[in-house]
C-alpha cells in the first residue's frame, strides 16, 4: 500500500515540476521582452571605451539589427576614457550609459562609485574566477595580450627579435616603439608587471628598456601604426593588431614569446545612465556567446572556451594576467617611469 502511495506522489510531482520549470522559462522570456521594450523606448545607448572602433562597428551592426537600437560610441585610449567619465561625473553631467575598457581604469572608476549593480543573465556562462563578486562590473570578457610586433617587409625572416632582451641590443636601439608608461595607464601597468616575468630583477630590466631609447607614443594604436609605417621596425603593443591591421594590408607579425602579459577587460553600467535599460540590454548582448563570437572573429582573445581569433598559433599563446594598480600605486610608478623613460 505504501509503495503504491509513493508511486502516486511521484507521478503527481512530475507534472508540478514541469509546470514550475515552464513558469520560470516564461518569466525569464517575459522579463527579457520587457527589457527590450523599455530599451527601445529610450531610443539609443551611449558608450565610452577603448575598444577599437572597427570591433565596436561589428558589435553595433549586429546589436542594431537585432533590436533596432542605435549606438553612439566615443572611443579613446583607456586613460582618456577614464578622464572623460570622471570629469562628467564630477560636474554632474553623465552622458554615457556604458563604459568598456580594461580592468585597471574600471577599478578606479569603481572607487568613485560610478557604476550601478547589474548581474546580466549572460554572466551565468562564465566561470566564477572572472566574475565580479559585487556585480558592479561584468565578467572579464576578453584578455588583451601585450607582445612584440614587427614589420615583416623591413625585418628579414630570422632577423626578428626573439625576446624582450633582444630589444636591448645595439641592432635595435632607437628602432622600436612603445607607449609612454608615465602617461599611458596600461603600459605603466605592463612595465610594473614585468616582475611576473623577471622576478626581483624586473626594475633593472625596466631601466634597460629605457636605456634602449624606444620611440615613445601615446598608446598602443600609434605604437602599431609606427611599426606598420616603417617608422619603427618593432614595437610593444597589442597582439591582436596583427589581424586587425593586417586585414588592411599592414605587414605585421608577432614574436612567439613563451609567456606574454595580458590585460583583462570588463564592461560597466553608469549609476546615472541616461538610458539604463538600453545599457542593460547592450551588456547582455555584448557578453553573450553571440557577442563573444563577433569579437573573436574580429581578432579578440575572448574568455569563452574554444573561441580564438584568426591569428596563427593563437591557441598556443600562454597569457599571464596582469595585476592591476590602484590610483595611488599608478601615480607612484608613473612618476618613477617618467624619470626612467622621459626625463633623461
Amino acid at each position: 500500500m505504501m509503495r503504491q502511495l509513493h508511486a502516486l506522489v511521484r507521478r503527481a510531482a512530475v507534472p508540478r515540476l514541469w509546470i514550475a520549470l515552464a513558469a520560470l522559462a516564461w518569466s525569464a522570456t517575459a522579463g527579457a521582452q520587457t527589457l527590450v521594450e523599455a530599451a527601445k523606448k529610450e531610443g539609443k545607448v551611449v558608450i565610452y571605451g577603448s575598444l577599437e572602433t572597427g570591433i565596436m562597428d561589428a558589435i553595433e551592426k549586429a546589436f542594431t539589427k537585432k533590436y533596432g537600437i542605435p549606438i553612439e560610441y566615443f572611443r579613446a585610449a583607456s586613460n582618456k576614457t577614464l578622464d572623460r567619465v570622471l570629469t562628467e561625473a564630477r560636474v554632474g553631467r553623465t552622458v554615457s550609459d556604458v563604459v568598456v575598457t580594461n580592468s585597471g581604469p574600471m577599478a578606479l572608476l569603481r572607487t568613485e562609485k560610478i557604476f550601478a549593480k547589474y548581474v546580466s543573465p549572460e554572466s551565468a556562462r562564465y566561470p566564477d574566477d572572472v566574475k565580479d563578486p559585487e556585480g558592479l562590473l561584468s565578467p572579464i570578457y576578453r584578455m588583451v595580450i601585450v607582445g612584440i610586433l614587427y614589420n615583416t617587409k623591413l625585418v628579414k625572416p630570422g632577423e626578428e627579435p626573439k625576446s624582450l632582451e633582444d630589444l636591448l641590443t645595439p641592432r635595435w636601439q632607437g628602432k622600436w616603439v612603445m607607449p609612454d608608461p608615465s602617461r599611458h595607464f596600461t603600459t605603466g601597468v605592463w612595465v610594473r608587471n614585468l616582475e611576473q616575468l623577471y622576478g626581483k630583477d624586473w626594475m633593472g630590466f625596466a631601466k634597460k628598456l629605457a636605456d634602449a631609447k624606444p620611440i615613445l607614443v601615446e598608446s598602443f594604436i600609434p605604437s602599431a601604426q609606427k611599426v606598420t609605417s616603417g617608422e619603427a621596425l618593432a614595437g610593444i603593443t597589442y597582439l591582436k593588431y596583427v589581424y586587425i591591421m593586417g586585414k588592411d594590408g599592414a605587414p605585421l607579425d608577432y614574436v612567439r614569446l613563451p609567456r606574454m602579459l595580458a590585460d583583462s577587460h570588463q564592461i560597466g553600467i553608469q549609476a546615472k545612465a541616461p538610458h539604463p535599460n538600453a545599457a542593460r540590454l547592450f551588456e547582455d548582448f555584448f557578453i553573450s556567446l553571440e557577442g563573444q563570437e563577433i569579437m573573436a572573429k574580429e581578432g579578440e582573445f575572448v574568455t569563452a572556451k574554444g573561441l580564438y581569433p584568426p591569428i596563427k598559433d593563437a591557441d598556443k599563446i600562454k597569457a599571464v594576467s596582469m595585476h592591476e594598480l590602484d590610483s595611488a600605486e599608478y601615480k607612484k610608478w608613473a612618476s618613477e617611469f617618467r624619470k626612467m623613460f622621459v626625463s633623461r
Side-chain angles (χ1 to χ4, degrees):
M1 180 66 177
M2 289 299 293
R3 233 180 276 152
Q4 290 173 332
L5 181 59
H6 288 156
L8 183 62
V9 170
R10 284 197 298 271
R11 284 198 297 271
V14 170
R16 288 200 297 270
L17 176 61
W18 283 110
I19 289 169
L21 290 173
L24 284 172
W26 180 86
S27 176
T29 302
Q33 189 59 38
T34 300
L35 179 61
V36 172
E37 290 170 358
K40 285 182 175 180
K41 288 179 182 177
E42 291 174 349
K44 66 179 178 180
V45 59
V46 180
I47 303 168
Y48 289 176
S50 57
L51 186 69
E52 288 72 14
T53 303
I55 298 168
M56 184 60 80
D57 286 346
I59 290 286
E60 179 180 11
K61 183 178 179 181
F63 179 78
T64 303
K65 181 179 179 180
K66 189 169 188 175
Y67 299 114
I69 300 170
I71 291 173
E72 290 183 8
Y73 182 51
F74 167 79
R75 196 267 160 200
S78 59
N79 52 314
K80 291 197 171 182
T81 299
L82 172 71
D83 291 342
R84 183 162 181 155
V85 172
L86 286 177
T87 298
E88 291 181 1
R90 286 165 182 167
V91 299
R93 185 177 175 272
T94 298
V95 176
S96 71
D97 304 298
V98 175
V99 183
V100 186
T101 191
N102 43 308
S103 297
M106 296 295 268
L108 298 181
L109 292 173
R110 179 206 289 268
T111 63
E112 296 291 329
K113 304 189 185 306
I114 294 296
F115 299 117
K117 183 174 181 177
Y118 179 62
V119 180
S120 167
E122 296 293 338
S123 297
R125 296 188 311 101
Y126 288 79
D128 289 341
D129 62 350
V130 299
K131 292 179 183 178
D132 176 23
E134 295 180 21
L136 290 169
L137 299 174
S138 75
I140 294 168
Y141 69 89
R142 68 170 178 164
M143 298 295 291
V144 187
I145 299 171
V146 181
I148 306 173
L149 269 55
Y150 63 93
N151 188 307
T152 56
K153 285 187 176 178
L154 300 178
V155 180
K156 296 178 182 179
E159 294 185 358
E160 69 275 5
K162 305 297 190 301
S163 63
L164 284 168
E165 287 84 352
D166 281 355
L167 297 178
L168 309 180
T169 62
R171 181 196 188 294
W172 289 97
Q173 190 169 44
K175 297 177 182 177
W176 60 279
V177 60
M178 68 178 288
D180 180 352
S182 71
R183 292 191 301 137
H184 186 243
F185 185 93
T186 308
T187 305
V189 174
W190 180 82
V191 174
R192 181 61 188 87
N193 273 267
L194 288 172
E195 183 175 11
Q196 294 200 67
L197 304 180
Y198 293 94
K200 63 181 181 180
D201 296 327
W202 76 272
M203 179 64 98
F205 184 77
K207 289 178 179 177
K208 289 177 182 177
L209 284 177
D211 289 340
K213 303 188 184 306
I215 303 164
L216 297 179
V217 292
E218 180 186 4
S219 64
F220 286 129
I221 287 182
S223 182
Q225 288 171 334
K226 284 196 178 292
V227 178
T228 298
S229 68
E231 295 175 72
L233 298 182
I236 305 296
T237 186
Y238 285 146
L239 224 65
K240 62 184 180 178
Y241 294 146
V242 168
Y243 174 74
I244 294 171
M245 295 184 176
K247 288 191 299 182
D248 298 324
L252 297 175
D253 199 358
Y254 71 97
V255 178
R256 271 61 166 179
L257 299 174
R259 295 192 301 159
M260 289 180 251
L261 295 171
D263 197 20
S264 58
H265 282 238
Q266 293 167 284
I267 177 172
I269 296 172
Q270 292 246 37
K272 297 180 179 179
H275 314 97
N277 293 297
R280 294 185 190 102
L281 186 64
F282 177 80
E283 178 172 327
D284 290 352
F285 179 82
F286 191 75
I287 67 171
S288 70
L289 184 59
E290 182 179 358
Q292 292 261 286
E293 287 174 341
I294 291 169
M295 284 186 272
K297 288 177 182 176
E298 292 295 322
E300 295 294 338
F301 291 84
V302 298
T303 53
K305 288 185 178 180
L307 289 179
Y308 297 100
I311 296 173
K312 190 175 181 181
D313 298 328
D315 59 329
K316 299 175 183 176
I317 292 171
K318 183 173 176 53
V320 179
S321 184
M322 293 195 288
H323 303 314
E324 298 296 344
L325 302 179
D326 63 28
S327 180
E329 287 175 319
Y330 177 69
K331 286 179 181 177
K332 169 193 169 185
W333 287 110
S335 177
E336 288 296 318
F337 298 151
R338 191 172 298 111
K339 297 172 188 174
M340 290 167 55
F341 286 86
V342 181
S343 306
R344 303 187 65 173

PDB file of all heavy atoms in Angstrom, residues 4 51 63 74 78 86 99-100 102 117 149 180-181 205 218 239 247 250 256 274 291 302 321 343:
ATOM      1  N   GLN A   4       2.485   1.907  -3.332  1.00  0.00           N
ATOM      2  CA  GLN A   4       1.551   2.484  -4.300  1.00  0.00           C
ATOM      3  C   GLN A   4       1.354   3.978  -4.033  1.00  0.00           C
ATOM      4  O   GLN A   4       1.261   4.786  -4.953  1.00  0.00           O
ATOM      5  CB  GLN A   4       0.212   1.758  -4.213  1.00  0.00           C
ATOM      6  CG  GLN A   4       0.267   0.317  -4.734  1.00  0.00           C
ATOM      7  CD  GLN A   4      -1.036  -0.403  -4.473  1.00  0.00           C
ATOM      8  OE1 GLN A   4      -1.750  -0.079  -3.510  1.00  0.00           O
ATOM      9  NE2 GLN A   4      -1.334  -1.383  -5.312  1.00  0.00           N
ATOM     10  N   LEU A  51      37.705  50.076 -26.655  1.00  0.00           N
ATOM     11  CA  LEU A  51      37.553  49.027 -27.666  1.00  0.00           C
ATOM     12  C   LEU A  51      37.669  49.653 -29.046  1.00  0.00           C
ATOM     13  O   LEU A  51      37.054  50.692 -29.319  1.00  0.00           O
ATOM     14  CB  LEU A  51      36.188  48.350 -27.514  1.00  0.00           C
ATOM     15  CG  LEU A  51      35.911  47.132 -28.393  1.00  0.00           C
ATOM     16  CD1 LEU A  51      36.786  45.955 -27.973  1.00  0.00           C
ATOM     17  CD2 LEU A  51      34.435  46.742 -28.299  1.00  0.00           C
ATOM     18  N   PHE A  63      23.929  44.290 -33.032  1.00  0.00           N
ATOM     19  CA  PHE A  63      23.027  44.739 -31.970  1.00  0.00           C
ATOM     20  C   PHE A  63      21.859  45.537 -32.544  1.00  0.00           C
ATOM     21  O   PHE A  63      20.692  45.305 -32.189  1.00  0.00           O
ATOM     22  CB  PHE A  63      23.812  45.585 -30.962  1.00  0.00           C
ATOM     23  CG  PHE A  63      22.990  46.138 -29.825  1.00  0.00           C
ATOM     24  CD1 PHE A  63      22.626  45.332 -28.763  1.00  0.00           C
ATOM     25  CD2 PHE A  63      22.608  47.473 -29.818  1.00  0.00           C
ATOM     26  CE1 PHE A  63      21.877  45.837 -27.707  1.00  0.00           C
ATOM     27  CE2 PHE A  63      21.861  47.985 -28.768  1.00  0.00           C
ATOM     28  CZ  PHE A  63      21.490  47.182 -27.709  1.00  0.00           C
ATOM     29  N   PHE A  74      31.980  56.762 -28.216  1.00  0.00           N
ATOM     30  CA  PHE A  74      33.163  57.617 -28.119  1.00  0.00           C
ATOM     31  C   PHE A  74      34.339  56.720 -27.784  1.00  0.00           C
ATOM     32  O   PHE A  74      34.339  56.049 -26.750  1.00  0.00           O
ATOM     33  CB  PHE A  74      32.985  58.670 -27.026  1.00  0.00           C
ATOM     34  CG  PHE A  74      34.263  59.370 -26.651  1.00  0.00           C
ATOM     35  CD1 PHE A  74      34.776  60.384 -27.437  1.00  0.00           C
ATOM     36  CD2 PHE A  74      34.966  58.993 -25.512  1.00  0.00           C
ATOM     37  CE1 PHE A  74      35.964  61.020 -27.096  1.00  0.00           C
ATOM     38  CE2 PHE A  74      36.158  59.618 -25.167  1.00  0.00           C
ATOM     39  CZ  PHE A  74      36.651  60.638 -25.960  1.00  0.00           C
ATOM     40  N   SER A  78      42.532  54.177 -22.895  1.00  0.00           N
ATOM     41  CA  SER A  78      41.930  53.894 -21.585  1.00  0.00           C
ATOM     42  C   SER A  78      42.054  55.061 -20.615  1.00  0.00           C
ATOM     43  O   SER A  78      41.104  55.368 -19.880  1.00  0.00           O
ATOM     44  CB  SER A  78      42.560  52.632 -20.994  1.00  0.00           C
ATOM     45  OG  SER A  78      43.972  52.797 -20.855  1.00  0.00           O
ATOM     46  N   LEU A  86      35.227  60.519 -15.458  1.00  0.00           N
ATOM     47  CA  LEU A  86      35.368  61.192 -14.162  1.00  0.00           C
ATOM     48  C   LEU A  86      34.998  62.668 -14.251  1.00  0.00           C
ATOM     49  O   LEU A  86      34.328  63.204 -13.355  1.00  0.00           O
ATOM     50  CB  LEU A  86      36.804  61.048 -13.652  1.00  0.00           C
ATOM     51  CG  LEU A  86      37.203  59.670 -13.114  1.00  0.00           C
ATOM     52  CD1 LEU A  86      38.673  59.653 -12.725  1.00  0.00           C
ATOM     53  CD2 LEU A  86      36.342  59.295 -11.914  1.00  0.00           C
ATOM     54  N   VAL A  99      30.492  51.951 -19.918  1.00  0.00           N
ATOM     55  CA  VAL A  99      31.939  52.133 -20.037  1.00  0.00           C
ATOM     56  C   VAL A  99      32.551  50.765 -20.342  1.00  0.00           C
ATOM     57  O   VAL A  99      32.225  49.776 -19.681  1.00  0.00           O
ATOM     58  CB  VAL A  99      32.560  52.707 -18.751  1.00  0.00           C
ATOM     59  CG1 VAL A  99      34.062  52.950 -18.949  1.00  0.00           C
ATOM     60  CG2 VAL A  99      31.855  53.995 -18.336  1.00  0.00           C
ATOM     61  N   VAL A 100      33.411  50.735 -21.363  1.00  0.00           N
ATOM     62  CA  VAL A 100      34.044  49.486 -21.785  1.00  0.00           C
ATOM     63  C   VAL A 100      35.546  49.716 -21.900  1.00  0.00           C
ATOM     64  O   VAL A 100      36.008  50.356 -22.846  1.00  0.00           O
ATOM     65  CB  VAL A 100      33.510  49.014 -23.164  1.00  0.00           C
ATOM     66  CG1 VAL A 100      34.072  47.641 -23.513  1.00  0.00           C
ATOM     67  CG2 VAL A 100      32.000  48.977 -23.185  1.00  0.00           C
ATOM     68  N   ASN A 102      39.733  48.488 -19.939  1.00  0.00           N
ATOM     69  CA  ASN A 102      40.455  47.479 -19.180  1.00  0.00           C
ATOM     70  C   ASN A 102      40.214  47.611 -17.681  1.00  0.00           C
ATOM     71  O   ASN A 102      39.781  48.650 -17.185  1.00  0.00           O
ATOM     72  CB  ASN A 102      41.952  47.486 -19.513  1.00  0.00           C
ATOM     73  CG  ASN A 102      42.535  48.858 -19.600  1.00  0.00           C
ATOM     74  OD1 ASN A 102      42.039  49.722 -20.306  1.00  0.00           O
ATOM     75  ND2 ASN A 102      43.610  49.076 -18.885  1.00  0.00           N
ATOM     76  N   LYS A 117      24.912  48.421  -9.894  1.00  0.00           N
ATOM     77  CA  LYS A 117      24.964  46.958  -9.864  1.00  0.00           C
ATOM     78  C   LYS A 117      24.057  46.389 -10.947  1.00  0.00           C
ATOM     79  O   LYS A 117      22.897  46.788 -11.085  1.00  0.00           O
ATOM     80  CB  LYS A 117      24.533  46.442  -8.490  1.00  0.00           C
ATOM     81  CG  LYS A 117      24.636  44.929  -8.362  1.00  0.00           C
ATOM     82  CD  LYS A 117      24.338  44.450  -6.945  1.00  0.00           C
ATOM     83  CE  LYS A 117      24.475  42.943  -6.847  1.00  0.00           C
ATOM     84  NZ  LYS A 117      24.269  42.445  -5.483  1.00  0.00           N
ATOM     85  N   LEU A 149      55.403  43.244 -31.797  1.00  0.00           N
ATOM     86  CA  LEU A 149      55.053  43.145 -33.216  1.00  0.00           C
ATOM     87  C   LEU A 149      56.224  43.681 -34.031  1.00  0.00           C
ATOM     88  O   LEU A 149      56.968  44.562 -33.564  1.00  0.00           O
ATOM     89  CB  LEU A 149      53.798  43.955 -33.525  1.00  0.00           C
ATOM     90  CG  LEU A 149      52.454  43.217 -33.424  1.00  0.00           C
ATOM     91  CD1 LEU A 149      52.279  42.585 -32.065  1.00  0.00           C
ATOM     92  CD2 LEU A 149      51.298  44.158 -33.740  1.00  0.00           C
ATOM     93  N   ASP A 180      54.313  55.536 -23.841  1.00  0.00           N
ATOM     94  CA  ASP A 180      54.986  56.138 -22.691  1.00  0.00           C
ATOM     95  C   ASP A 180      54.338  55.615 -21.410  1.00  0.00           C
ATOM     96  O   ASP A 180      53.176  55.915 -21.126  1.00  0.00           O
ATOM     97  CB  ASP A 180      54.839  57.657 -22.786  1.00  0.00           C
ATOM     98  CG  ASP A 180      55.496  58.400 -21.631  1.00  0.00           C
ATOM     99  OD1 ASP A 180      55.940  57.745 -20.677  1.00  0.00           O
ATOM    100  OD2 ASP A 180      55.539  59.651 -21.686  1.00  0.00           O
ATOM    101  N   PRO A 181      55.050  54.824 -20.600  1.00  0.00           N
ATOM    102  CA  PRO A 181      54.446  54.241 -19.398  1.00  0.00           C
ATOM    103  C   PRO A 181      54.129  55.263 -18.312  1.00  0.00           C
ATOM    104  O   PRO A 181      53.407  54.951 -17.362  1.00  0.00           O
ATOM    105  CB  PRO A 181      55.510  53.245 -18.917  1.00  0.00           C
ATOM    106  CG  PRO A 181      56.792  53.778 -19.448  1.00  0.00           C
ATOM    107  CD  PRO A 181      56.449  54.408 -20.770  1.00  0.00           C
ATOM    108  N   PHE A 205      65.571  45.395 -15.358  1.00  0.00           N
ATOM    109  CA  PHE A 205      65.240  45.166 -16.765  1.00  0.00           C
ATOM    110  C   PHE A 205      64.465  46.354 -17.338  1.00  0.00           C
ATOM    111  O   PHE A 205      64.701  46.771 -18.479  1.00  0.00           O
ATOM    112  CB  PHE A 205      64.422  43.887 -16.930  1.00  0.00           C
ATOM    113  CG  PHE A 205      64.138  43.563 -18.366  1.00  0.00           C
ATOM    114  CD1 PHE A 205      65.116  43.017 -19.178  1.00  0.00           C
ATOM    115  CD2 PHE A 205      62.897  43.845 -18.924  1.00  0.00           C
ATOM    116  CE1 PHE A 205      64.869  42.748 -20.517  1.00  0.00           C
ATOM    117  CE2 PHE A 205      62.635  43.576 -20.257  1.00  0.00           C
ATOM    118  CZ  PHE A 205      63.622  43.019 -21.055  1.00  0.00           C
ATOM    119  N   GLU A 218      51.679  57.791 -27.591  1.00  0.00           N
ATOM    120  CA  GLU A 218      50.577  57.985 -26.643  1.00  0.00           C
ATOM    121  C   GLU A 218      49.958  56.687 -26.143  1.00  0.00           C
ATOM    122  O   GLU A 218      49.608  56.569 -24.973  1.00  0.00           O
ATOM    123  CB  GLU A 218      49.493  58.850 -27.309  1.00  0.00           C
ATOM    124  CG  GLU A 218      48.294  59.111 -26.421  1.00  0.00           C
ATOM    125  CD  GLU A 218      47.185  59.849 -27.149  1.00  0.00           C
ATOM    126  OE1 GLU A 218      47.307  60.106 -28.364  1.00  0.00           O
ATOM    127  OE2 GLU A 218      46.171  60.145 -26.497  1.00  0.00           O
ATOM    128  N   LEU A 239      48.801  42.331 -29.383  1.00  0.00           N
ATOM    129  CA  LEU A 239      48.996  41.255 -30.354  1.00  0.00           C
ATOM    130  C   LEU A 239      47.905  41.231 -31.420  1.00  0.00           C
ATOM    131  O   LEU A 239      48.141  40.895 -32.581  1.00  0.00           O
ATOM    132  CB  LEU A 239      49.003  39.912 -29.616  1.00  0.00           C
ATOM    133  CG  LEU A 239      50.072  38.910 -30.033  1.00  0.00           C
ATOM    134  CD1 LEU A 239      51.445  39.438 -29.692  1.00  0.00           C
ATOM    135  CD2 LEU A 239      49.827  37.588 -29.332  1.00  0.00           C
ATOM    136  N   LYS A 247      44.292  43.026 -41.812  1.00  0.00           N
ATOM    137  CA  LYS A 247      43.183  42.977 -42.769  1.00  0.00           C
ATOM    138  C   LYS A 247      43.283  44.089 -43.798  1.00  0.00           C
ATOM    139  O   LYS A 247      42.813  43.949 -44.928  1.00  0.00           O
ATOM    140  CB  LYS A 247      41.844  43.099 -42.035  1.00  0.00           C
ATOM    141  CG  LYS A 247      41.444  41.891 -41.228  1.00  0.00           C
ATOM    142  CD  LYS A 247      39.990  41.992 -40.767  1.00  0.00           C
ATOM    143  CE  LYS A 247      39.774  43.199 -39.874  1.00  0.00           C
ATOM    144  NZ  LYS A 247      38.377  43.280 -39.393  1.00  0.00           N
ATOM    145  N   ALA A 250      48.488  45.736 -43.424  1.00  0.00           N
ATOM    146  CA  ALA A 250      49.651  46.050 -42.592  1.00  0.00           C
ATOM    147  C   ALA A 250      50.589  44.842 -42.530  1.00  0.00           C
ATOM    148  O   ALA A 250      50.156  43.731 -42.240  1.00  0.00           O
ATOM    149  CB  ALA A 250      49.209  46.433 -41.185  1.00  0.00           C
ATOM    150  N   ARG A 256      56.916  35.046 -31.042  1.00  0.00           N
ATOM    151  CA  ARG A 256      56.353  33.950 -30.235  1.00  0.00           C
ATOM    152  C   ARG A 256      57.092  33.843 -28.902  1.00  0.00           C
ATOM    153  O   ARG A 256      57.955  33.004 -28.709  1.00  0.00           O
ATOM    154  CB  ARG A 256      56.452  32.630 -30.990  1.00  0.00           C
ATOM    155  CG  ARG A 256      55.274  32.291 -31.886  1.00  0.00           C
ATOM    156  CD  ARG A 256      55.032  33.295 -32.980  1.00  0.00           C
ATOM    157  NE  ARG A 256      54.116  32.773 -33.999  1.00  0.00           N
ATOM    158  CZ  ARG A 256      53.723  33.449 -35.041  1.00  0.00           C
ATOM    159  NH1 ARG A 256      54.142  34.703 -35.213  1.00  0.00           N
ATOM    160  NH2 ARG A 256      52.909  32.919 -35.936  1.00  0.00           N
ATOM    161  N   PRO A 274      21.765  57.775 -18.573  1.00  0.00           N
ATOM    162  CA  PRO A 274      20.541  58.365 -19.133  1.00  0.00           C
ATOM    163  C   PRO A 274      19.619  57.330 -19.779  1.00  0.00           C
ATOM    164  O   PRO A 274      18.414  57.555 -19.876  1.00  0.00           O
ATOM    165  CB  PRO A 274      21.083  59.348 -20.181  1.00  0.00           C
ATOM    166  CG  PRO A 274      22.491  59.629 -19.774  1.00  0.00           C
ATOM    167  CD  PRO A 274      22.980  58.340 -19.168  1.00  0.00           C
ATOM    168  N   GLY A 291      27.894  37.777 -28.933  1.00  0.00           N
ATOM    169  CA  GLY A 291      28.828  38.894 -28.871  1.00  0.00           C
ATOM    170  C   GLY A 291      30.267  38.431 -28.840  1.00  0.00           C
ATOM    171  O   GLY A 291      31.146  39.013 -29.491  1.00  0.00           O
ATOM    172  N   VAL A 302      38.920  36.292 -26.549  1.00  0.00           N
ATOM    173  CA  VAL A 302      37.796  36.306 -25.619  1.00  0.00           C
ATOM    174  C   VAL A 302      37.948  35.177 -24.606  1.00  0.00           C
ATOM    175  O   VAL A 302      38.748  34.256 -24.791  1.00  0.00           O
ATOM    176  CB  VAL A 302      36.453  36.171 -26.378  1.00  0.00           C
ATOM    177  CG1 VAL A 302      36.253  37.356 -27.315  1.00  0.00           C
ATOM    178  CG2 VAL A 302      36.384  34.862 -27.150  1.00  0.00           C
ATOM    179  N   SER A 321      47.940  37.000 -16.706  1.00  0.00           N
ATOM    180  CA  SER A 321      47.094  38.140 -16.354  1.00  0.00           C
ATOM    181  C   SER A 321      47.858  39.146 -15.494  1.00  0.00           C
ATOM    182  O   SER A 321      48.512  38.786 -14.522  1.00  0.00           O
ATOM    183  CB  SER A 321      45.855  37.654 -15.602  1.00  0.00           C
ATOM    184  OG  SER A 321      44.985  38.728 -15.333  1.00  0.00           O
ATOM    185  N   SER A 343      62.588  61.743 -18.559  1.00  0.00           N
ATOM    186  CA  SER A 343      63.440  62.831 -18.042  1.00  0.00           C
ATOM    187  C   SER A 343      64.907  62.416 -17.933  1.00  0.00           C
ATOM    188  O   SER A 343      65.525  62.515 -16.875  1.00  0.00           O
ATOM    189  CB  SER A 343      62.904  63.272 -16.670  1.00  0.00           C
ATOM    190  OG  SER A 343      61.567  63.602 -16.730  1.00  0.00           O
TER     191      SER A 343
END
